[in-house]
Amino acid sequence: MSSGQPAAVSAASNNEKKRAPQAVYIHIPFCTNKCFYCDFNSYVLKDQPVMDYLKALDREMELTVSQTPPGEIRTIFVGGGTPTVLNPQEMEFFLASVRKHFPRWASDIEFTMEANPGTTDREKLAVMKAGGVNRVSFGVQAFQNELLSGIGRIHNTDDVYRSLENARAAGLDNLSIDLMFGLPNQTVEMLDYSVTRALELGLPHYSIYSLKVEENTLFHTLYQRNQLPLPSEEDELKMYLLLMERMAKAGRKQYEISNFAKPGYESRHNITYWRNEDYYGLGAGAHGYVSRQRHVNIKGVNPYVEAAGQGLPRLEQFAVSREEAMEDFVMVGLRMLNGIRKEDFRSQFGADSELEEIFAGPLQKMLSAGLLEQHEDQGGYRLSQQGVLFGNEVFAEFIGVLTI
């Protein structure tokens, strides 16, 4: 950090370096196949050097904790790819590696692993449970087999029920499923049916995302050729309103734009991101954020394995300025329906940091537009009912306010 910056900025940064991250994200990049909409860093499992990758990951964990020792870990999230494509022996090695390098776990740790229906037999789930996993998030997406095949998923609805039954038999009850809306050929009625089937499962948590057509995907190619039959914007809005209404009636509170939970079952790991707090990021293509330093790891499996043998497998690492961190705090924090608190802003950026002074312009503009409202109970700001529907427009108002 340059010596030309104010002392308050340097002090805030030094304080952050003393706080060990309490959250860990780990990326397992293997999949049974590549879905048509997916632009995540994932690779088809066949002929991949899985154990070499897990050993490289073990090495990255070792180097990471020697550089930034962990404190008590409150959340771990294993994403992908599909982490549950690991066989039981690989899974056991991986989970032992996590426990070895991050030995201090909070008594109420939330340890989530993403899974695809059909990749979780009882033996594997037993290994996961024994290794500390206590929350599983299944990528279900829809309850119509024709929609699933149309987006490149290889599971069917029978796999969903079987996988959830297996998880419960293994003693895993903190379960979540992902659904998607705005899919090709999906109607409002089809989404309604999927939500009905999902709610019948009685799960404590649901994530429901709208399809985004990303570059470097099959869907992007089809979209450019005008061959992707997406629902109209009007229907997509109806879908979002429908799912919000259905979830509320079922007692699943919307705590973030795309996430609904029974009270007490919100994803604590994801809340780490939305509060702009520190987390370790490990694995190929993973992002991490520690002491106002962001990093992105090398993406390819073999390049990652090779790089981890020589040191930390970084693609890039850069400092985040105090101003940029402030913008991030507001943008990600407003995704949560409880919004942002002035007290938390002061806690992250110093007692002299007043949210209402620093962001006076965009806050007033969004309040006047009826897209934000003051949250008296929390002492801050949150999206209004209308603002939830136009979240991206609200977040955009805070980009570049301080950093241009």
Side-chain angles (χ1 to χ4, degrees):
M1 198 162 285
S2 72
S3 57
Q5 288 183 304
V9 173
S10 300
S13 178
N14 289 337
N15 286 340
E16 288 203 9
K17 282 174 187 168
K18 291 172 190 170
R19 275 205 310 267
Q22 297 181 305
V24 184
Y25 174 79
I26 307 171
H27 195 74
I28 304 293
F30 308 115
C31 270
T32 48
N33 69 303
K34 192 83 170 173
C35 297
F36 302 160
Y37 56 83
C38 178
D39 73 332
F40 293 158
N41 186 46
S42 61
Y43 306 90
V44 175
L45 179 66
K46 188 172 169 20
D47 299 328
Q48 292 287 354
V50 176
M51 274 311 297
D52 288 349
Y53 179 82
L54 295 177
K55 287 173 183 173
L57 190 53
D58 180 81
R59 175 71 174 146
E60 188 194 356
M61 290 186 214
E62 180 186 356
L63 293 170
T64 297
V65 299
S66 68
Q67 189 178 91
T68 312
E72 183 180 70
I73 299 301
R74 297 190 56 75
T75 70
I76 301 172
F77 194 104
V78 184
T82 306
T84 49
V85 298
L86 299 182
N87 67 37
Q89 293 72 35
E90 292 161 349
M91 183 70 76
E92 192 168 14
F93 175 89
F94 165 64
L95 292 172
S97 181
V98 175
R99 177 73 87 162
K100 176 174 65 176
H101 298 298
F102 298 97
R104 286 180 54 210
W105 291 6
S107 59
D108 63 344
I109 189 170
E110 176 194 271
F111 190 157
T112 304
M113 187 171 290
E114 288 185 336
N116 274 358
T119 61
T120 47
D121 58 35
R122 294 196 180 191
E123 182 189 0
K124 192 180 301 181
L125 285 157
V127 170
M128 288 162 56
K129 179 81 161 43
V133 175
N134 58 18
R135 183 175 184 271
V136 183
S137 177
F138 287 96
V140 172
Q141 318 314 2
F143 279 85
Q144 290 91 357
N145 289 337
E146 67 270 26
L147 283 184
L148 292 172
S149 60
I151 61 176
R153 304 293 284 185
I154 60 165
H155 74 268
N156 60 37
T157 51
D158 288 343
D159 294 325
V160 173
Y161 294 109
R162 192 179 310 111
S163 295
L164 291 167
E165 183 185 326
N166 287 344
R168 285 171 167 151
L172 292 159
D173 296 311
N174 191 357
L175 305 174
S176 176
I177 63 172
D178 289 357
L179 294 177
M180 294 179 74
F181 67 99
L183 297 174
N185 298 307
Q186 188 181 36
T187 64
V188 178
E189 292 72 26
M190 291 170 95
L191 177 70
D192 193 30
Y193 176 84
S194 283
V195 171
T196 297
R197 297 284 84 79
L199 288 172
E200 284 172 353
L201 298 168
L203 303 181
H205 190 280
Y206 297 90
S207 298
I208 310 180
Y209 302 102
S210 65
L211 174 71
K212 288 185 173 52
V213 179
E214 305 283 6
E215 289 188 20
N216 303 314
T217 64
L218 175 60
F219 273 2
H220 189 258
T221 304
L222 293 174
Y223 183 77
Q224 288 187 311
R225 294 178 187 163
N226 204 27
Q227 294 175 350
L228 196 64
L230 297 174
S232 66
E233 282 187 21
E234 183 184 351
D235 274 354
E236 196 165 332
L237 178 58
K238 283 180 184 172
M239 290 178 183
Y240 190 46
L241 292 168
L242 168 84
L243 66 89
M244 286 195 291
E245 180 187 349
R246 294 289 313 274
M247 288 286 151
K249 279 184 180 170
R252 302 308 187 270
K253 183 183 175 187
Q254 185 175 16
Y255 69 97
E256 189 269 347
I257 282 179
S258 302
N259 287 276
F260 305 80
K262 280 184 181 177
Y265 286 90
E266 299 84 0
S267 168
R268 287 193 277 128
H269 183 84
N270 285 339
I271 287 171
T272 299
Y273 303 148
W274 299 322
R275 286 185 177 156
N276 202 43
E277 295 171 349
D278 285 9
Y279 61 95
Y280 296 101
L282 302 151
H287 295 236
Y289 181 54
V290 178
S291 301
R292 293 248 179 92
Q293 290 274 330
R294 286 200 191 279
H295 78 258
V296 183
N297 275 350
I298 287 166
K299 288 190 171 183
V301 174
N302 288 319
Y304 169 83
V305 170
E306 188 178 331
Q310 299 166 6
L312 286 171
R314 299 290 187 253
L315 180 63
E316 57 179 328
Q317 182 161 337
F318 51 91
V320 175
S321 71
R322 185 168 181 248
E323 292 76 16
E324 188 180 346
M326 286 176 169
E327 290 180 2
D328 289 343
F329 175 95
V330 176
M331 288 189 297
V332 294
L334 285 174
R335 291 190 61 88
M336 291 188 293
L337 275 287
N338 275 344
I340 52 176
R341 301 196 313 162
K342 292 181 270 191
E343 179 187 325
D344 294 338
F345 191 77
R346 284 192 290 267
S347 173
Q348 272 199 35
F349 301 107
D352 60 339
S353 304
E354 288 299 332
L355 181 68
E356 287 162 318
E357 289 177 19
I358 292 168
F359 291 104
L363 283 173
Q364 198 52 53
K365 182 178 176 182
M366 292 295 97
L367 285 167
S368 300
L371 299 179
L372 280 186
E373 60 189 25
Q374 288 191 297
H375 193 342
E376 300 301 340
D377 296 344
Q378 299 281 332
Y381 296 87
R382 64 184 175 193
L383 294 172
S384 66
Q385 275 190 308
Q386 190 71 3
V388 172
L389 305 179
F390 297 98
N392 288 338
E393 285 85 340
V394 177
F395 310 145
E397 290 294 326
F398 295 89
I399 297 174
V401 173
L402 308 178
T403 53
I404 288 175

